Structure formats: structure tokens, C-alpha cells
Coordinates of all heavy atoms in Angstrom, one line a residue:
R21 N 0.8 -1.2 0.0 CA 0.0 0.0 0.0 C 0.9 1.3 0.0 O 0.6 2.2 -0.8 CB -0.9 0.0 1.2 CG -1.9 1.2 1.3 CD -2.7 1.1 2.5 NE -2.0 1.1 3.8 CZ -1.6 2.3 4.4 NH1 -1.8 3.4 3.8 NH2 -1.0 2.2 5.5
H22 N 1.9 1.3 0.8 CA 2.8 2.4 0.9 C 3.5 2.7 -0.4 O 3.8 3.8 -0.7 CB 3.8 2.3 2.1 CG 3.2 2.6 3.4 ND1 3.1 3.9 3.9 CD2 2.8 1.8 4.4 CE1 2.6 3.9 5.1 NE2 2.4 2.6 5.4
L23 N 3.9 1.6 -1.1 CA 4.6 1.7 -2.3 C 3.8 1.7 -3.6 O 4.3 1.7 -4.7 CB 5.7 0.6 -2.4 CG 6.7 0.6 -1.3 CD1 7.6 -0.6 -1.4 CD2 7.5 1.9 -1.3
K24 N 2.4 1.7 -3.4 CA 1.5 1.7 -4.5 C 1.6 0.5 -5.4 O 1.6 0.6 -6.6 CB 1.5 3.0 -5.2 CG 1.4 4.2 -4.3 CD 0.8 5.4 -5.0 CE 0.7 6.6 -4.1 NZ 0.5 6.5 -2.7
I25 N 1.8 -0.6 -4.8 CA 1.9 -1.9 -5.5 C 0.6 -2.7 -5.2 O 0.1 -2.7 -4.1 CB 3.1 -2.8 -4.9 CG1 4.4 -2.1 -5.2 CG2 3.1 -4.2 -5.5 CD1 5.6 -2.7 -4.4
D26 N 0.1 -3.3 -6.3 CA -1.1 -4.1 -6.2 C -0.6 -5.5 -5.7 O 0.0 -6.2 -6.5 CB -1.8 -4.2 -7.5 CG -3.0 -5.1 -7.5 OD1 -3.2 -5.9 -6.5 OD2 -3.8 -5.1 -8.5
P27 N -0.9 -5.8 -4.4 CA -0.4 -7.1 -3.9 C -0.9 -8.3 -4.7 O -0.2 -9.3 -4.8 CB -0.8 -7.1 -2.4 CG -1.8 -6.1 -2.3 CD -1.7 -5.1 -3.4
E28 N -2.1 -8.3 -5.1 CA -2.6 -9.4 -5.9 C -1.9 -9.6 -7.2 O -1.6 -10.7 -7.6 CB -4.1 -9.3 -6.1 CG -4.9 -9.5 -4.8 CD -6.4 -9.4 -5.0 OE1 -6.9 -9.9 -6.0 OE2 -7.1 -8.8 -4.1
A29 N -1.7 -8.5 -7.9 CA -1.0 -8.5 -9.2 C 0.5 -9.0 -9.0 O 1.0 -9.8 -9.8 CB -1.0 -7.1 -9.9
A30 N 1.1 -8.5 -7.9 CA 2.4 -9.0 -7.6 C 2.5 -10.5 -7.3 O 3.4 -11.2 -7.7 CB 3.0 -8.2 -6.4
T31 N 1.5 -11.0 -6.6 CA 1.4 -12.4 -6.3 C 1.2 -13.2 -7.5 O 1.8 -14.2 -7.7 CB 0.4 -12.7 -5.2 OG1 0.7 -11.9 -4.0 CG2 0.3 -14.2 -4.9
R32 N 0.3 -12.7 -8.4 CA 0.1 -13.4 -9.7 C 1.3 -13.5 -10.5 O 1.7 -14.5 -11.1 CB -1.0 -12.7 -10.5 CG -2.4 -13.2 -10.1 CD -3.5 -12.7 -11.1 NE -3.5 -11.2 -11.2 CZ -4.2 -10.4 -10.4 NH1 -4.9 -10.9 -9.4 NH2 -4.2 -9.1 -10.6
A33 N 2.1 -12.4 -10.6 CA 3.3 -12.3 -11.3 C 4.3 -13.3 -10.7 O 5.0 -14.0 -11.5 CB 3.9 -10.9 -11.4
A34 N 4.4 -13.4 -9.4 CA 5.4 -14.3 -8.8 C 5.0 -15.7 -9.1 O 5.8 -16.6 -9.3 CB 5.4 -14.0 -7.3
N35 N 3.7 -16.0 -9.1 CA 3.2 -17.4 -9.4 C 3.5 -17.7 -10.8 O 4.0 -18.9 -11.1 CB 1.7 -17.5 -9.1 CG 1.4 -17.6 -7.7 OD1 2.2 -18.1 -6.9 ND2 0.2 -17.2 -7.3
E36 N 3.4 -16.8 -11.7 CA 3.7 -17.0 -13.1 C 5.2 -17.3 -13.3 O 5.6 -18.2 -14.1 CB 3.2 -15.9 -14.0 CG 1.7 -15.8 -14.1 CD 1.2 -14.5 -14.7 OE1 2.1 -13.6 -15.2 OE2 0.0 -14.3 -14.7
K37 N 6.0 -16.5 -12.6 CA 7.4 -16.7 -12.7 C 7.8 -18.1 -12.2 O 8.6 -18.8 -12.8 CB 8.1 -15.6 -11.9 CG 9.7 -15.7 -11.9 CD 10.3 -14.5 -11.3 CE 9.9 -14.1 -9.9 NZ 10.6 -13.0 -9.3
F38 N 7.2 -18.4 -11.0 CA 7.5 -19.8 -10.5 C 7.2 -20.9 -11.5 O 7.9 -21.8 -11.7 CB 6.8 -20.0 -9.2 CG 6.9 -21.4 -8.6 CD1 8.0 -21.7 -7.9 CD2 6.0 -22.4 -8.9 CE1 8.2 -23.0 -7.4 CE2 6.2 -23.7 -8.5 CZ 7.3 -24.0 -7.7
T39 N 6.0 -20.8 -12.0 CA 5.5 -21.8 -13.0 C 6.4 -21.8 -14.2 O 6.8 -22.9 -14.6 CB 4.0 -21.4 -13.4 OG1 3.2 -21.4 -12.3 CG2 3.5 -22.4 -14.4
R40 N 6.8 -20.7 -14.7 CA 7.7 -20.7 -15.9 C 9.0 -21.4 -15.5 O 9.5 -22.2 -16.3 CB 7.9 -19.2 -16.3 CG 8.5 -18.9 -17.6 CD 8.5 -17.5 -17.9 NE 9.1 -16.6 -16.9 CZ 8.4 -15.7 -16.2 NH1 7.1 -15.5 -16.4 NH2 8.9 -14.9 -15.3
R41 N 9.6 -21.0 -14.4 CA 10.9 -21.6 -14.0 C 10.8 -23.1 -13.7 O 11.7 -23.9 -14.1 CB 11.5 -20.9 -12.8 CG 11.9 -19.5 -13.2 CD 12.5 -18.8 -12.0 NE 12.9 -17.4 -12.4 CZ 13.3 -16.5 -11.5 NH1 13.4 -16.8 -10.2 NH2 13.6 -15.3 -12.0
F42 N 9.7 -23.5 -13.1 CA 9.5 -24.9 -12.8 C 9.3 -25.7 -14.1 O 9.8 -26.8 -14.2 CB 8.3 -25.2 -11.8 CG 8.4 -26.5 -11.2 CD1 9.3 -26.8 -10.1 CD2 7.7 -27.6 -11.7 CE1 9.4 -28.0 -9.6 CE2 7.8 -28.8 -11.1 CZ 8.6 -29.1 -10.0
R43 N 8.6 -25.1 -15.0 CA 8.4 -25.8 -16.4 C 9.8 -26.0 -17.0 O 10.1 -27.0 -17.6 CB 7.5 -25.0 -17.3 CG 6.1 -25.2 -16.9 CD 5.2 -24.6 -18.0 NE 3.8 -24.7 -17.5 CZ 2.9 -23.7 -17.6 NH1 3.2 -22.6 -18.0 NH2 1.7 -23.9 -17.1
F44 N 10.7 -25.0 -16.9 CA 12.0 -25.1 -17.4 C 12.7 -26.3 -16.8 O 13.4 -27.1 -17.5 CB 12.8 -23.8 -17.1 CG 14.2 -23.9 -17.5 CD1 14.6 -23.5 -18.8 CD2 15.2 -24.3 -16.6 CE1 16.0 -23.6 -19.2 CE2 16.6 -24.3 -17.0 CZ 16.9 -24.0 -18.3
I45 N 12.6 -26.5 -15.5 CA 13.2 -27.6 -14.7 C 12.6 -28.9 -15.3 O 13.4 -29.8 -15.5 CB 13.0 -27.5 -13.2 CG1 13.8 -26.3 -12.7 CG2 13.3 -28.8 -12.5 CD1 13.4 -25.9 -11.2
E46 N 11.3 -29.0 -15.4 CA 10.7 -30.2 -15.9 C 11.2 -30.6 -17.3 O 11.5 -31.7 -17.6 CB 9.2 -30.0 -15.9 CG 8.6 -30.0 -14.5 CD 7.1 -29.7 -14.5 OE1 6.6 -28.9 -15.3 OE2 6.3 -30.4 -13.8
Q47 N 11.3 -29.6 -18.1 CA 11.8 -29.8 -19.5 C 13.2 -30.3 -19.5 O 13.5 -31.2 -20.3 CB 11.6 -28.6 -20.4 CG 10.1 -28.2 -20.7 CD 10.0 -26.8 -21.3 OE1 10.9 -26.0 -21.4 NE2 8.8 -26.5 -21.7
R48 N 14.0 -29.6 -18.7 CA 15.5 -30.1 -18.7 C 15.6 -31.5 -18.2 O 16.4 -32.3 -18.7 CB 16.3 -29.1 -17.9 CG 16.4 -27.7 -18.5 CD 17.3 -27.8 -19.8 NE 18.6 -28.3 -19.7 CZ 19.7 -27.6 -19.3 NH1 19.6 -26.3 -19.2 NH2 20.8 -28.3 -19.2
L49 N 14.9 -31.8 -17.1 CA 14.9 -33.1 -16.5 C 14.4 -34.1 -17.5 O 14.9 -35.2 -17.7 CB 14.1 -33.2 -15.2 CG 14.8 -32.5 -14.0 CD1 13.9 -32.4 -12.8 CD2 16.1 -33.1 -13.7
A50 N 13.3 -33.8 -18.2 CA 12.7 -34.7 -19.2 C 13.7 -35.0 -20.3 O 13.8 -36.1 -20.8 CB 11.4 -34.1 -19.8
G51 N 14.5 -34.0 -20.7 CA 15.6 -34.2 -21.6 C 16.6 -35.2 -21.2 O 17.3 -35.8 -22.0
Q52 N 16.7 -35.4 -19.9 CA 17.6 -36.4 -19.3 C 16.8 -37.7 -19.0 O 17.4 -38.6 -18.3 CB 18.2 -35.9 -18.0 CG 19.0 -34.6 -18.2 CD 19.4 -34.0 -16.9 OE1 19.5 -34.6 -15.8 NE2 19.7 -32.7 -16.9
G53 N 15.6 -37.8 -19.4 CA 14.8 -39.0 -19.1 C 14.3 -39.1 -17.6 O 14.1 -40.2 -17.1
K54 N 14.2 -37.9 -16.9 CA 13.9 -37.9 -15.5 C 12.7 -37.0 -15.2 O 12.3 -36.2 -16.0 CB 15.1 -37.3 -14.7 CG 16.3 -38.2 -14.8 CD 17.5 -37.5 -14.2 CE 17.5 -37.3 -12.7 NZ 18.8 -36.7 -12.2
T55 N 12.1 -37.2 -14.1 CA 11.0 -36.4 -13.6 C 11.6 -35.7 -12.3 O 12.6 -36.1 -11.8 CB 9.8 -37.2 -13.2 OG1 10.1 -38.0 -12.0 CG2 9.3 -38.1 -14.3
P56 N 10.9 -34.6 -11.9 CA 11.3 -34.0 -10.6 C 11.4 -35.0 -9.4 O 12.3 -34.9 -8.6 CB 10.2 -32.9 -10.4 CG 9.8 -32.6 -11.8 CD 9.8 -33.9 -12.5
A57 N 10.5 -36.0 -9.4 CA 10.5 -37.0 -8.3 C 11.8 -37.8 -8.4 O 12.2 -38.4 -7.4 CB 9.3 -37.8 -8.4
Q58 N 12.4 -37.9 -9.6 CA 13.6 -38.7 -9.7 C 14.8 -37.9 -9.6 O 16.0 -38.4 -9.7 CB 13.6 -39.4 -11.1 CG 12.5 -40.4 -11.3 CD 12.3 -40.8 -12.7 OE1 12.4 -40.0 -13.6 NE2 12.0 -42.1 -12.9
S59 N 14.6 -36.6 -9.3 CA 15.8 -35.7 -9.1 C 16.0 -35.4 -7.6 O 15.3 -36.0 -6.8 CB 15.4 -34.4 -9.9 OG 16.5 -33.5 -9.8
N60 N 16.9 -34.5 -7.3 CA 17.1 -34.1 -5.9 C 17.1 -32.6 -5.9 O 17.1 -31.9 -6.9 CB 18.4 -34.7 -5.4 CG 19.6 -34.3 -6.1 OD1 19.8 -33.1 -6.4 ND2 20.4 -35.2 -6.5
L61 N 17.0 -32.1 -4.7 CA 16.9 -30.6 -4.5 C 18.1 -29.9 -5.1 O 17.9 -28.8 -5.7 CB 16.7 -30.3 -3.0 CG 16.4 -28.9 -2.7 CD1 15.1 -28.4 -3.4 CD2 16.2 -28.7 -1.2
A62 N 19.3 -30.4 -4.9 CA 20.5 -29.7 -5.4 C 20.4 -29.6 -6.9 O 20.7 -28.5 -7.5 CB 21.7 -30.5 -5.0
E63 N 20.0 -30.7 -7.6 CA 19.9 -30.7 -9.1 C 18.9 -29.7 -9.5 O 19.1 -28.9 -10.4 CB 19.6 -32.1 -9.6 CG 19.6 -32.2 -11.1 CD 19.3 -33.6 -11.6 OE1 18.7 -34.4 -10.8 OE2 19.6 -33.9 -12.7
M64 N 17.7 -29.7 -8.9 CA 16.6 -28.8 -9.3 C 17.0 -27.4 -8.9 O 16.6 -26.4 -9.7 CB 15.3 -29.2 -8.6 CG 14.7 -30.5 -9.2 SD 13.0 -30.8 -8.8 CE 13.2 -31.3 -7.1

């Protein structure tokens, strides 16, 4: 409110960024024949 930021819009943008980056992870792992469940936190 003090910085005149719409918190809902900021949250939506953060969710979109997370989704975009996680899709990148999924695609890269798929290229290695793996899923996120077959990976580890350090690799992801």
C-alpha cells in the first residue's frame, strides 16, 4: 500500500514466474529422461 503496489498482481506475477521456471526444470529433466521426483533438491 505504501509503495502503491497491487499485492494481488504482484502475487500473480510471482506465481507465473515460479510456474515458468518450474516448467524449465521439468523440460530439462525430461531431456535427461527424468522427472522431478527422480531428481534431488540440489539438481533442481
Side-chain angles (χ1 to χ4, degrees):
R21 181 179 64 83
H22 280 280
L23 297 175
K24 305 206 182 334
I25 295 170
D26 177 348
E28 289 183 39
T31 301
R32 275 191 300 277
N35 284 335
E36 289 168 7
K37 179 171 56 176
F38 174 85
T39 300
R40 193 171 52 247
R41 290 179 183 173
F42 198 79
R43 282 189 184 132
F44 175 88
I45 291 170
E46 290 175 318
Q47 290 169 351
R48 291 294 304 271
L49 288 173
Q52 300 170 23
K54 296 167 69 174
T55 66
Q58 296 167 319
S59 183
N60 61 49
L61 187 57
E63 182 178 23
M64 288 193 290

